Amino acid sequence: MISAYTGTQVRAAEEPLLAAGLGDALMQRAARGLANAVVHELKDSGTRLSGARVVVLAGKGNNGGDGLYAAAFLASRGMRTTAVLTGDAAHPAGLAAFERAGGRVHRLTEAALPGLAAEAAAADVVIDAVLGTGAKGGLRGSAADLIQAITDAHLHGFVVACDLPSGVDADTGEAAAPVLPADLTVTFGGAKSGLLADPGADYAGRVLVVPIGIEEHLPEPALRRLEGPDLARLLPQPARRAQKYSRGVLGVVAGSEDYPGAAVLACRGALAAGVGMVRYLGPPSVADLVRQSCPEVVCSTGTVAESRVQAWLVGSGMGPHDHEQLTRARDAIASDLPVVADAGALPALPAILAPHVVLTPHAGELASLFHRLGRGENRESVEAATLGAVRHAADRTGATVLLKGATTLVAAPWGATYSQADGTPWLATAGSGDVLAGVIGALLAQAGSDVGRFRQLGVEPDGRWAAIAALGAALHGQAGRAASEAVSGGPITAGRVADALPETWGKVSMLSNYGAWKRNSHSQPLR
Ligand SMILES: NC(=O)C1=CN([C@@H]2O[C@H](COP(=O)(O)OP(=O)(O)OC[C@H]3O[C@@H](n4cnc5c(N)ncnc54)[C@H](OP(=O)(O)O)[C@@H]3O)[C@@H](O)[C@H]2O)[C@@H](O)CC1
Ligand SMILES: Nc1ncnc2c1ncn2[C@@H]1O[C@H](COP(=O)(O)OP(=O)(O)O)[C@@H](O)[C@H]1O
Ligand SMILES: [K+]
């Protein structure tokens, strides 16, 4: 599991060490980790270390101090280092170390700006150390102009962000333009939650956590990401004497005359995600199509009350005028069984929900949900603040909310938040969300009652619905990636994602080398 923290949490964890006079030692560790990462990147790109051109953009706070100390290490290894001081001051000890190591220093002025931007653009590495966890809002003044000029230029080398890309909010991932997109973010003491939520994740590139000795002081993480061994431990496995009913039956209320394919794709996703059986309820014409595509599915035109299942999937491919289907969706949501409520079910939700109801909106659907709750939002405003949006939606509705996107976020009401980024942009294809709903429905049917499995991982009963949704998002994302890799990185259809699920499941379930993972977890790149 990757744990991520708010800037405030990390700063609080630093406090006891700062009080003990260890501030400089913390900064030295951070700077050394940053410098080592730069060296690795240069070696990987085949650049000679001696004479490599490094430009550090250093703000006036401790983030700038980290950058200056790191650049001093790099200068001492024979690199040509330039510091651009973006504020009216600089970290005194960092600046002194940099100058002692032979680095060149420029102060940012309006006149010097075009030349300094050109120098940064021509460098082998640009280190962005303008703002870190102490930032208030985005970049301002000439620092903003410099970052804009570098962003607009054609960069020769790569960008490494110190702790976080300047302008990205460490807690929320909100990003006030301009932000220089990093190829790598080297972050200290623990990943910052803003690096694992869009749009912050767009700017962070790969994320590397450097331990600096504060780890034992960190509290419960603000955000979690399930990784291979977690997924392996959460995946349900059939007992030796399992039969189809004990494995879990999923009831699917999806599809309509207008969108029959959604029902098929939801069923295919569920069948490929290990469910014991799928019961489909819906119009006869849609049921015919489901039967033709998935003969394993048992179809009926009955009611929710007549159908014995362990979980429900409702809403995919349903419109506001599909009254019979909407009645079934409402009945399923009221049934006390776990439910994944997708697409067309979202406008038909009751006012008060519970954590075992998992809502799966994309940003546009979440904005509409907020409208109905009297909160003015649109797709863009949700996309600009995904973490705040998903948290607010869960706390406000009482449901578990999964917000789909390049990074998929899941929030338990008043509980844990997960961030999964296992997929590929090729997943942005029609019907992909229906397959995801099927996968989550299948997992709810199989694992929803297995409280013990989640307790072993420290997940409380009410929080397990979010863990199941995050597991579903991870499997779906990885299946999408596998499907694309099977065609050499080419495009995929939603059906291909479903087809790739069983093998993805098999591969994930083999990753249970938990002990080895735990020992290495602090130094692992996140992606
Ligand atoms: N504590 C430790 O020992 C360790 C800390 N570590 C490192 O320290 C970083 C946090 O450092 P920090 O607290 O000094 O804040 P930082 O992010 O450098 O920025 C604050 C400065 O910028 C200014 N400023 C603010 N907003 C601005 C804006 N929008 N536009 C322009 N300027 C703005 C603000 O000035 P003010 O506005 O207050 O006058 C202030 O001077 C952290 O991310 C990590 O890298 C590690 O080395 C581990 C040990
Ligand atoms: N850029 C992206 N990168 C990775 N995954 C993505 C991206 N865009 C969308 N996805 C994923 O693809 C799926 C799309 O779902 P959805 O928006 O409901 O599509 P549809 O309604 O067409 O089925 C979600 O699982 C989402 O997380
Ligand atoms: K930074």
Side-chain angles (χ1 to χ4, degrees), residues 419-440:
S419 154
Q420 299 299 141
D422 308 76
T424 153
W426 288 121
L427 275 167
T429 179
S432 162
D434 308 326
V435 174
L436 174 68
V439 172
I440 296 173

Side-chain angles (χ1 to χ4, degrees), residues 68-460:
L68 288 166
Y69 271 123
F73 288 130
L74 297 173
S76 68
R77 294 195 63 169
M79 295 180 210
R80 283 185 286 159
T81 48
T82 300
V84 179
L85 307 184
T86 60
D88 50 13
H91 189 275
L95 184 58
F98 180 70
E99 288 182 316
R100 273 198 308 277
R104 286 191 309 140
V105 178
H106 294 284
R107 283 178 199 280
L108 179 60
T109 59
E110 232 172 89
L113 193 149
L116 294 173
E119 185 170 347
D124 297 302
V125 191
V126 178
I127 299 175
D128 166 11
V130 181
L131 291 177
T133 55
K136 296 174 200 74
L139 289 161
R140 297 186 293 260
S142 54
D145 295 339
L146 177 69
I147 293 291
Q148 187 66 61
I150 299 173
T151 307
D152 291 343
H154 176 74
L155 295 194
H156 160 79
F158 54 86
V159 175
V160 179
C162 172
D163 210 18
L164 56 140
S166 303
V168 168
D169 187 295
D171 298 4
T172 65
E174 289 167 52
V179 179
L180 182 60
D183 297 284
L184 173 70
T185 294
V186 182
T187 193
F188 309 124
K192 310 299 175 298
S193 43
L195 301 173
L196 270 60
D198 292 330
D202 289 333
Y203 294 105
R206 286 172 292 126
V207 176
L208 181 74
V209 180
V210 168
I212 58 170
I214 61 167
E215 293 70 24
E216 67 183 78
H217 301 283
L218 288 167
E220 278 285 294
L223 196 61
R224 297 164 161 87
R225 177 167 293 173
L226 301 177
E227 293 192 289
D230 313 301
L231 305 176
R233 294 176 74 188
L234 287 177
L235 275 184
Q237 295 293 339
R240 194 177 78 80
R241 298 187 59 187
Q243 32 97 348
K244 61 180 180 285
Y245 297 118
S246 68
R247 299 235 350 260
V249 179
L250 177 69
V252 174
V253 178
S256 56
E257 306 283 347
D258 288 341
Y259 304 106
V264 173
L265 289 165
C267 290
R268 286 180 65 184
L271 289 168
V275 76
M277 184 172 140
V278 175
R279 284 188 200 281
Y280 175 75
L281 303 188
S285 63
V286 182
D288 281 347
L289 195 65
V290 169
R291 268 194 219 95
Q292 277 165 30
S293 308
C294 322
E296 304 88 345
V297 175
V298 176
C299 297
S300 98
T301 51
T303 65
V304 160
E306 289 159 358
S307 312
R308 211 163 149 211
V309 301
Q310 275 65 54
W312 287 101
L313 180 175
V314 299
S316 312
M318 281 165 39
H321 306 298
D322 298 318
H323 301 294
E324 211 177 336
Q325 287 291 70
L326 284 171
T327 301
R328 291 189 179 105
R330 287 196 189 93
D331 290 348
I333 291 168
S335 72
D336 273 351
L337 287 171
V339 187
V340 50
D342 189 37
L346 297 172
L349 297 170
I352 297 172
L353 293 162
H356 65 265
V357 179
V358 180
L359 313 183
T360 55
H362 53 57
E365 289 165 339
L366 187 53
S368 306
L369 181 66
F370 280 139
H371 258 287
R372 287 190 293 279
L373 296 172
R375 186 179 152 115
E377 296 264 7
N378 54 34
R379 176 185 267 273
E380 288 71 29
S381 65
V382 169
E383 284 176 343
T386 57
L387 193 50
V390 76
R391 279 257 36 103
H392 182 81
D395 295 344
R396 176 71 200 274
T397 60
T400 297
V401 180
L402 177 149
L403 174 59
K404 293 181 275 198
T407 305
T408 290
L409 297 175
V410 186
W414 308 109
T417 314
Y418 295 85
S419 154
Q420 299 299 141
D422 308 76
T424 153
W426 288 121
L427 275 167
T429 179
S432 162
D434 308 326
V435 174
L436 174 68
V439 172
I440 296 173
L443 292 170
L444 290 174
Q446 292 171 83
S449 58
D450 190 355
V451 173
R453 175 184 297 271
F454 295 93
R455 275 236 164 86
Q456 276 175 14
L457 275 178
V459 178
E460 286 307 311

Side-chain angles (χ1 to χ4, degrees), residues 11 14 18 60 62-63 66 131-134 136 138 140 163:
R11 291 163 80 88
E14 285 168 358
L18 297 182
K60 68 178 180 178
N62 289 330
N63 194 253
D66 292 341
L131 291 177
T133 55
K136 296 174 200 74
R140 297 186 293 260
D163 210 18

